[in-house]
Amino acid sequence: MTGPPAQGESGGRQASRINRGIALSLGTAVTAVLTSTVAEVMATKLSQLDIGVVSAVLDRRVLWAVAWLALVALVGLIVLRRAVPRPRPTGLPVLPPRAALVGRDDLVRRVVAEARRTRVVVVHGPAGIGASAVAINAAWELSAAGGGRRYVDLRGADPDPRRAESPRRVAIRVLRSLGVAPGRFRDLDRAGETVAGELRRGQRVLVLDNVQSIDQIGWLLRRITHGYVIAAGDLAASSAVPSGAAWASVGPLEPTAALALLRAQDPGPVRPRRRLDRLLSRLRHETRPTRSVADRIEADRRAADDLAKRYLKHPRVAILIGRWLAANPHISIRMLLEDLARGKENAELLVILRHQLDGASAGARRLLALLVEAPLAELTEAAAAALAGVPVDRTSGHLKELADRSLVEWTRPSRCRVPKEARQLADPVRPALRT
């Protein structure tokens, strides 16, 4: 889906086509006049000479006249071509429509405020947490007064989603999204200057989605003086944002927002059936579901609050569990809590919960499995590094990935543990990984 086109784009394209047509017509007319003039001069000169064609061609005056006319024609065509701007290519990627967010209004306002202050904001969050939606909604707020809106998805063509595109490939994508032919730019600095110039000329907001590393876009962030750039993605914890750029993290859902998202998965009011349908359903001993997700939440508010605090911190998980409840109207909220606690006995719910691991690195998944099997419930960062057999700085990044997904919590500033709800999500540790 695409967003509404910016106002004035169609009129600008039509005016550009008219101007280009006029320029081409003038160029053709000038060339025709010059060609006819040269032909007339040559014919007159040849008719006056009796010594043949060779003598006429060797006449210096004729040669100078031809050279000057050709030079004037060339300069005229160059001036006309530069005077009329080329029309922008059509079909450029535009900003997707606003996303229906729950519980993220304050964060969107914060991103908008930071963008107006620094012009560059990096929105960070694990896959499925809503970082892209926050960036898109903030971009719509920034461009509400008009101006160009461009969206670039930096997800690579590689089947491995964790393999990032190179900065040069990213630069080519960004330039093409702005309607600029990348050609063979000398370096990334030149590409950054070109993009900054496009933002200065009216491309008001540029959203870079699915960014995996600041290195992919560092060539651009340092040069923005006009317009706004919002980057979103599951960035590494060690990513260093350039000076002057703002950083916004998308955290887990608050319980109130999680329950609101759960209620939103109701299919809507059920249409009453006809009397014959009701009679047939009674004869078949069929019962019609009448309890909506909202009804079951209100029927056991305490269990619903417990469900939100323990399991619904991730928006994708909240949406999928809400749909599961809508499809199973006979399951109460307390029964759902018991099923979730049993974990691996209900494979369908376990698959839903495992969406919290989407986008996590192999090192973070391995660390989670090792922490679950550790003899101690709480470990320091150094102890977790020793358990995994990797340096402390890498373990710190893996713990940050797990904490962003609510799979690890810090009980004290120096100690972390795996919550009971997350233990069932760990992959079994193979013997080779224990050593």
Side-chain angles (χ1 to χ4, degrees), residues 119-189:
R119 297 197 175 277
V120 177
V121 182
V122 178
V123 183
H124 160 70
I129 202 72
S132 298
V134 168
I136 289 170
N137 283 20
W140 276 106
E141 292 292 331
L142 289 168
S143 61
R149 312 176 186 97
R150 289 291 175 259
Y151 171 86
V152 186
D153 188 349
L154 301 187
R155 187 183 287 110
D158 195 285
D160 184 0
R162 291 185 292 273
R163 186 171 298 177
E165 289 274 74
S166 67
R168 190 172 185 85
R169 290 293 307 167
V170 170
I172 291 174
R173 285 194 184 192
V174 173
L175 288 171
R176 285 177 176 167
S177 73
L178 296 174
V180 179
R184 292 187 177 182
F185 52 87
R186 292 193 300 269
D187 49 35
L188 291 174
D189 291 336

Side-chain angles (χ1 to χ4, degrees), residues 262-264 266 291-301:
L262 201 68
R263 291 189 193 94
D266 270 326
R291 292 192 306 168
S292 65
V293 175
D295 292 338
R296 282 172 277 177
I297 290 174
E298 297 304 323
D300 196 343
R301 186 70 192 205

Side-chain angles (χ1 to χ4, degrees), residues 216-231:
Q216 290 180 291
I217 57 176
W219 54 272
L220 172 61
L221 301 187
R222 299 185 294 269
R223 292 173 173 80
I224 302 304
T225 57
H226 294 76
Y228 307 101
V229 173
I230 303 178

